[in-house]
Amino acid sequence: MNISLRQKSLKNGRISLFLDYYLPKAKQTRRKESLKLYLYSNPKSKPQKEHNKNTLILAESIRSRQLLKLQHEEHDFSHLIRDKDTNSKKSFIAYFREQTQKKINNKSSYGIWNSVLHYITKYAGTNGVFIQDIDKQWVEGFKEYLLSKNAPDNNITLSVNTAHIYFSKFKTSIRQAQKDKLLNHNPCEDVAHIPQEEKEREFLTLEELKTLVKTECRYPILKKAFLFSALTGLRKSDILKMKWREVQYSKEQGWYIRFTQKKTKGTETLPISTQARDLLGEPNEDKGTLVFNGLKYDGSTSIRIQRWILNAGISKKITFHCARHTFATLQLTFGTDIYTVSKLLGHRVLKTTQIYAKIIDQKKVDAVNSIPNLDI
């Protein structure tokens, strides 16, 4: 009796992991079981190598657990390893690694979960921690660890907002453990969340936006995409993948874009102005082609945008995402109600949009205080 960990190369370039059972006393002496775990066949980057390492550790852990279970059953010790007992003694790090593995097809989400796994592993130490041993005190300690200078790499303190995100993922895994009946009580319910800090959202005024339109940019397609975002509120990720078939027209609605948000996966119908549509130019005959074909976003893109901004005589630090902020603040400035703005931006909750309302309120305060002292 034995269980071996095997690998199988797939057409998509990845490697699938499966267990190969050898059961000499069974009717079917050999049996295969897919683990639904995958490796990069030729890992090049550090995250890919780290993924392969963690996945192999997880696969070997599953193999060992299955072999132990079979050995107990063969010797009639199965009553010692009831599901209830094995679940309660399950490693939380192994469990969190399983949850992380499920995010592999979402690059950004997987990266965050993998980072949280790194922090959990360092905090738990060499002995790790069982799921049943995670209590309020352990959760409080992990929360403080995220906010401390005892970070896993180079003693760099996480920003409060990054710690907030990491703690959220940790809490999500604990809630899932409770759903999986691995915990009777959610210890996170007794611990306050790490509050987010409000970031200053930079944006352009109408006058500054007009100036940008008249200012030449060395990368015309980047200028067009930025201005389109400022006129529609579309995220960079949705602009990069936008295709001509998504740009549609009807007599009732005028011009609009029918697309699926990359961030939320929600299907949206976004009305756009005539000038936003005119900015796009003539459509490609092939409706499946990208509207902003040739537009790339890498480490140098922000530098290119900032040079364009400086050439326009604007001293603000502007990124591509600031175009979306500009759209929101201009809509509120010119009287669009906050609920409509929220829908145009594709926000799931109104609270997210209220940040822009605070910006407009501050502009009003600054305006009334701008009157010179009259020496009354």
Side-chain angles (χ1 to χ4, degrees):
M1 177 177 61
N2 190 30
I3 303 177
S4 301
L5 181 63
R6 307 291 188 194
Q7 299 183 5
K8 180 181 179 181
S9 297
L10 303 177
K11 292 182 180 180
N12 61 9
R14 292 194 296 173
I15 296 174
S16 173
L17 297 179
F18 66 93
L19 296 180
D20 185 3
Y21 290 79
Y22 173 60
L23 308 168
K25 295 183 180 181
K27 290 183 179 179
Q28 183 181 352
T29 57
R30 302 202 77 91
R31 181 167 61 87
K32 294 180 180 180
E33 178 187 359
S34 173
L35 294 178
K36 296 184 179 179
L37 299 176
Y38 304 93
L39 303 175
Y40 292 101
S41 58
N42 186 25
K44 297 179 180 179
S45 64
K46 185 178 178 181
Q48 288 180 351
K49 292 176 181 178
E50 187 71 18
H51 163 79
N52 279 11
K53 177 184 175 182
N54 290 335
T55 302
L56 284 171
I57 292 173
L58 173 59
E60 180 57 34
S61 173
I62 296 173
R63 187 201 71 83
S64 299
R65 189 167 67 242
Q66 291 297 90
L67 180 59
L68 181 63
K69 186 176 180 179
L70 282 177
Q71 289 171 340
H72 278 294
E73 288 175 349
E74 183 181 44
H75 297 288
D76 199 26
F77 296 148
S78 57
H79 63 286
L80 298 177
I81 55 165
R82 297 188 195 113
D83 288 343
K84 179 179 178 181
D85 296 328
T86 53
N87 284 343
S88 65
K89 286 296 182 182
K90 186 168 185 174
S91 163
F92 177 64
I93 293 174
Y95 180 75
F96 195 92
R97 190 176 284 121
E98 290 173 9
Q99 301 304 309
T100 301
Q101 181 67 29
K102 295 176 181 178
K103 316 294 179 184
I104 191 172
N105 292 326
N106 188 324
K107 187 176 180 181
S108 59
S109 181
Y110 176 77
I112 295 173
W113 277 75
N114 208 33
S115 295
V116 180
L117 174 61
H118 192 41
Y119 274 79
I120 292 172
T121 303
K122 291 292 183 180
Y123 176 68
T126 55
N127 294 327
V129 60
F130 291 120
I131 293 178
Q132 68 166 12
D133 293 333
I134 295 180
D135 54 14
K136 178 182 177 181
Q137 184 178 358
W138 198 95
V139 174
E140 287 279 12
F142 180 63
K143 173 184 171 182
E144 292 175 8
Y145 181 72
L146 289 175
L147 295 169
S148 72
K149 293 183 179 180
N150 299 318
D153 300 309
N154 303 321
N155 291 329
I156 299 174
T157 306
L158 290 175
S159 70
V160 173
N161 286 347
T162 299
H164 169 89
I165 293 171
Y166 285 9
F167 195 57
S168 293
K169 304 306 178 188
F170 165 75
K171 290 177 67 176
T172 297
S173 69
I174 293 295
R175 284 197 300 271
Q176 187 60 49
Q178 188 180 26
K179 288 181 181 179
D180 292 340
K181 301 188 185 318
L182 303 177
L183 283 170
N184 294 324
H185 171 71
N186 184 347
C188 293
E189 292 178 354
D190 305 322
V191 180
H193 204 343
I194 299 174
Q196 280 184 297
E197 287 183 341
E198 284 191 11
K199 290 184 178 180
E200 183 178 350
R201 303 198 173 210
E202 195 63 273
F203 62 94
L204 297 168
T205 64
L206 180 60
E207 291 72 23
E208 289 169 337
L209 193 58
K210 287 181 177 179
T211 302
L212 269 187
V213 172
K214 298 175 183 178
T215 304
E216 184 179 352
C217 178
R218 288 183 60 187
Y219 308 94
I221 194 168
L222 178 59
K223 175 180 179 179
K224 182 189 290 188
F226 183 93
L227 294 175
F228 188 76
S229 178
L231 290 172
T232 62
L234 267 183
R235 293 185 179 91
K236 170 193 65 184
S237 56
D238 293 323
I239 284 179
L240 284 169
K241 70 178 185 63
M242 191 170 77
K243 296 181 179 180
W244 279 109
R245 63 167 169 260
E246 297 173 338
V247 182
Q248 301 175 19
Y249 178 83
S250 70
K251 290 183 179 180
E252 296 77 16
Q253 286 187 276
W255 288 104
Y256 62 94
I257 303 171
R258 182 71 175 169
F259 69 107
T260 300
Q261 287 194 63
K262 186 173 182 179
K263 183 176 180 180
T264 66
K265 309 303 179 185
T267 301
E268 301 287 339
T269 300
L270 177 68
I272 62 173
S273 64
T274 302
Q275 68 170 333
R277 171 61 189 87
D278 291 343
L279 180 64
L280 299 179
E282 290 299 317
N284 194 303
E285 291 183 3
D286 182 0
K287 298 297 183 180
T289 58
L290 296 172
V291 175
F292 296 95
N293 193 24
L295 177 64
K296 296 182 180 179
Y297 199 93
D298 53 33
S300 63
T301 306
S302 293
I303 297 174
R304 293 171 179 173
I305 292 174
Q306 197 58 46
R307 285 175 180 167
W308 175 40
I309 296 294
L310 291 174
N311 288 338
I314 301 170
S315 59
K316 295 176 179 178
K317 186 176 180 180
I318 299 295
T319 64
F320 195 100
H321 198 67
C322 293
R324 182 170 161 87
H325 297 332
T326 298
F327 171 80
T329 52
L330 286 178
Q331 287 291 332
L332 290 169
T333 299
F334 289 103
T336 306
D337 66 90
I338 193 169
Y339 180 79
T340 301
V341 174
S342 180
K343 291 300 179 183
L344 290 172
L345 291 172
H347 288 163
R348 289 183 173 181
V349 292
L350 192 62
K351 183 179 179 181
T352 308
T353 320
Q354 288 172 340
I355 296 171
Y356 296 106
K358 292 180 181 179
I359 294 173
I360 301 304
D361 289 341
Q362 185 59 47
K363 285 179 66 179
K364 292 177 181 177
V365 173
D366 294 341
V368 297
N369 288 327
S370 65
I371 301 174
N373 192 339
L374 302 179
D375 295 326
I376 297 177

